[in-house]
Amino acid sequence: MRLRVRYTKNGKIRFTSHRDVARLWERSLRRAHVPMAYSEGFSPRPKLAFGLALSTGYESDAEYIDLALSETIPLDGLVERLTEMLPDGLVATAVAEIDRGTSLQQAITCCRWEIDIITDDLQAASTAVAQAKEAEEIMFTRTRKGKPVTDDLRPYVWALDVLGPTETGCRLAAELGTQPRALRPAELLAALDPAYEAFLVRRTHQWITNDDGDRSEPLLAAPASAVPTPVGAT
Amino acid sequence: MWPALEPILPKVEKPARYIGCEGGAQQPVHGDGRVAWLLTYPDTYEIGLPNQGLQILYEILNERDDAVAERAYAPWTDLEAQLRAHDLPLFSVDNHFPASMFDLLAFNLSAELTYTNLLNLVDLAGVPVRCADRTAEHPFVVIGGHCTYNPEPLADFVDLVVLGDGEEVIGEITEVIHAWKASGGPTSGAVDSREGVLRQLSRVEGVYVPSLYEAEFDGEHLRSITPRFSDVPERVEKRTVADLADWPYPKNQLTPLTEVVHDRLNVEVFRGCTRGCRFCQAGMITRPVRERPAEQVRTMIQKGLERTGYDEVALTSLSTADFSGIKDVVTETMDDPANRDQVSVSLPSLRVDAFGVDIAAELNRGRRSGLTFAPEAGTWRMRQVINKLIREEDLYEAVEGAYSQGWRRVKLYFLTGLPTETDEDTLGIANLGRNCVEIGKKYHKSASVTVSVGGFVPKPFTPFQWFGQNTVAELQRKIYLLRDDVKRSHGVQMKWHDPKATLIEGICSRGDRRLGPVIEDVWRAGGVFQEWSEHFDQDKWTDAMARHGLSPDWYAHRHRTEDEVLPWDHLSAGLHKDFLWQDWRDALAEVGLEDCRWTPCYDCGACTGYGIEHIVASATPPAGGSQGTGQDLTTGGEVPVVLGSKPVGAGT
Ligand code: SF4
């Protein structure tokens, strides 16, 4: 049996790394007595697969993990049980059975982010956002494996807006493409003119877009008692 | 302080070390006159979090009505720079409170090279580093752990030193401070109020208050350390918990959110060790042996696994294969259906014999990564000197067992720079390594042995406390001698510790109060995290010693005489000094000493002095046990006994 779980990562725990979260899931699944399937070989590990890695320090309302189980189990009450066993700040919001199919990482085409930037000049921030949207290309140089790499970020910026002021500056909403590589919010901020630093970044959605341009989430977060709807799992 | 920290954390490496939120973390509530302890580990979170001593006290204190305890760890240099730049202090990871709002800053000290970190953390807490500059409103600086058996180098900086097991004494200290707080002590602002409560604390058994003692010197030699007041005890005895069964802690072992060392469930199966290895301070100062009842061990394992979700449990002690119920506990844990075949058991200290390997095979079913043994010395003669009575055939049998059961890599731990060590002894290490590889080749083409060599540092309250340690040059020479010899042998790899660090450890290990200004200088010159090779800086130490007119040679390389006053003579680990001296003579005469668990007591003092005794479930030595458990050890296997050609430590 294969399961997909949607969960959130908020609060102090946002400072844990992707690897940390994988370890926390392993322990929590054991505590919740979920019968995991294990890999073969030298040191067997439970079979877990995550969606796109979330940078250390970012929050998220839309994280996903796919689990391979060794037997079939009833799903009612599982969301609550997982949340109880997960550390504070990680909350399971939906679970559904899925078929074997494309990995989450390959299926996701874009993520929506809310980015609280640090600034005391809201006008300048709006202008920077407007400029980026109008630009034909946004050439940006980053270091990759110790070497500078320059590429055009514009094709990855699907949407970008100023949502409104916050205590530390203002909140931007951005939809950033993830194929062939996932553009990080921090890179986008560094490529704006002037460059900005984030106070807090939260992922709100991971989207799967089909050939017609329709999009859907891998799993809808549902109120605790409602039946979750698996979408686009295959 | 969290709101002030939050914007800084994205700028530092591994911020998850500073957020707390571990599974099993307490919810400490302050106020109501409660005595607030900040339990601090003077190294990084990764190393400090698993520390069982700290976790035990954290739970015991938080269970009390009159106390509250939080935890802190040394922030890495990047966060420290940020904290100092933003004028922020050391903080607790539980409530993220500033360190200065606690009544006591208690440090667990297990390595000399963390001494400068202690000063740094006290300073980062906003507390004067020297006791003399503290007033009633400042927290008390407390230390516990193995380094406290010679706390003299830190005498200027620590208010209280706790000797031995902390479980009981920590409550007694709390009661004194609680009463003092209730009577308005800290708010009176008077310096003598602080001294008054320190004098009271000095009468709690196991507590040493260095500022209440006067150290007198005769030229460069220590003449005496005596109390400055008649109500302060002349000699401070360590504390020993008589029965581990009364203390099933930690009950809620912390499960961290981020990676740490020893990231697994740890269950302490016994405390103390009487194998009697003469270099081993831990074994000497934690006597007698107190086993936890097997039933309690099983409960702690089962509850612990269930609560934490770990898939590995380590049974900890100084020599776990000696635990009376070891085989049953291991088998039951491995076979328990609740563990669904996915739980592994590990023994951090494996004995060098076939029995140890059998257990290792049992508990590693399937997993065969690497096995570690610690023969400690290369020849039988040398092992008689250090009383690690492992015969060569024991080692080969163990190694054969390991390779035949599927292991491909074996790691062997050795010390060099031991008393009476000759080049033949040193090269014996390479011989053992080569012979083990030969045995391994019978089973695997790729069989390999890693030989790990550390420089020996004599420690207080061991028979070797009188021995002048080898110089850096001599240790280096031995290491290169060995390295060149090993180079020619296929399949043997060698690793070694930096002898320069060994020197500094040696200076601090047996140093006296005059080292205080040296430690302060090194810290002020930026010498923190000295136990990390990228930060260690020998010059900072030797420069500071030169400035203060002290000789590294005199502290580290000089043999002590029987009548010399040692800086820890006014402290007691229960061991009679004449027992240790006799054991030192026996060492030089290459005479071994049996394990007193199963042979008659030779009155070392650890039980006899405190009216306690061993708690060991089995009246007979464990199966296959080498090291003075009844076997004929006179021949010691193949290696002929060669007397040291030089007097003790010559050639250093
Ligand atoms: S007092 Fe006797 S029984 Fe106790 S540890 Fe010492 S030698 Fe062994």
Coordinates of all heavy atoms in Angstrom, one line a residue, chain B residues 274 596 601-608 614, ligand 1:
Chain B
T274 N 35.8 -2.3 37.7 CA 36.9 -2.7 38.6 C 37.9 -3.6 37.8 O 38.6 -4.3 38.4 CB 36.4 -3.4 39.9 OG1 35.4 -4.3 39.5 CG2 35.9 -2.4 40.8
C596 N 38.2 -7.1 41.4 CA 37.7 -7.4 42.7 C 36.2 -7.7 42.8 O 35.6 -8.0 43.8 CB 37.9 -6.2 43.6 SG 37.2 -4.7 43.0
C601 N 38.3 -8.5 48.0 CA 38.6 -7.0 48.0 C 40.0 -6.7 48.4 O 40.5 -7.4 49.3 CB 37.6 -6.4 49.0 SG 38.0 -4.7 49.5
Y602 N 40.7 -5.8 47.7 CA 42.0 -5.4 48.2 C 42.0 -4.0 48.8 O 43.0 -3.4 48.8 CB 43.0 -5.6 47.0 CG 42.5 -5.1 45.7 CD1 42.5 -3.8 45.3 CD2 42.1 -6.1 44.8 CE1 42.0 -3.4 44.1 CE2 41.6 -5.7 43.5 CZ 41.5 -4.4 43.2 OH 41.0 -4.0 42.0
D603 N 40.8 -3.6 49.2 CA 40.7 -2.4 50.0 C 41.3 -1.2 49.3 O 42.2 -0.5 49.8 CB 41.2 -2.5 51.4 CG 40.9 -1.3 52.3 OD1 39.9 -0.6 51.9 OD2 41.6 -1.1 53.2
C604 N 40.8 -0.9 48.1 CA 41.2 0.4 47.4 C 40.6 1.6 48.1 O 41.1 2.7 47.9 CB 40.9 0.3 45.9 SG 39.1 0.6 45.6
G605 N 39.5 1.4 48.8 CA 38.9 2.5 49.5 C 37.5 2.9 49.0 O 36.7 3.5 49.7
A606 N 37.2 2.5 47.7 CA 36.0 3.0 47.1 C 34.7 2.5 47.8 O 33.7 3.2 47.8 CB 36.0 2.6 45.6
C607 N 34.8 1.3 48.3 CA 33.6 0.7 49.0 C 33.8 0.9 50.5 O 33.0 1.4 51.2 CB 33.4 -0.8 48.8 SG 33.4 -1.2 47.0
T608 N 35.0 0.4 50.9 CA 35.3 0.4 52.3 C 35.2 1.8 53.0 O 34.7 1.9 54.1 CB 36.7 -0.2 52.5 OG1 37.6 0.3 51.5 CG2 36.6 -1.7 52.4
H614 N 29.8 -3.5 45.9 CA 29.4 -3.8 44.5 C 28.0 -4.3 44.5 O 27.6 -5.0 45.4 CB 30.3 -5.0 44.0 CG 31.7 -4.7 43.7 ND1 32.1 -3.6 42.9 CD2 32.8 -5.3 44.1 CE1 33.4 -3.6 42.9 NE2 33.9 -4.6 43.6
Ligands
SF4_1 S1 36.9 -1.3 48.0 FE1 37.5 -3.5 47.5 S2 35.7 -4.3 46.5 FE2 35.4 -2.0 46.5 S3 36.3 -1.4 44.5 FE3 37.9 -1.3 46.0 S4 39.0 -3.2 45.9 FE4 37.0 -3.5 44.9

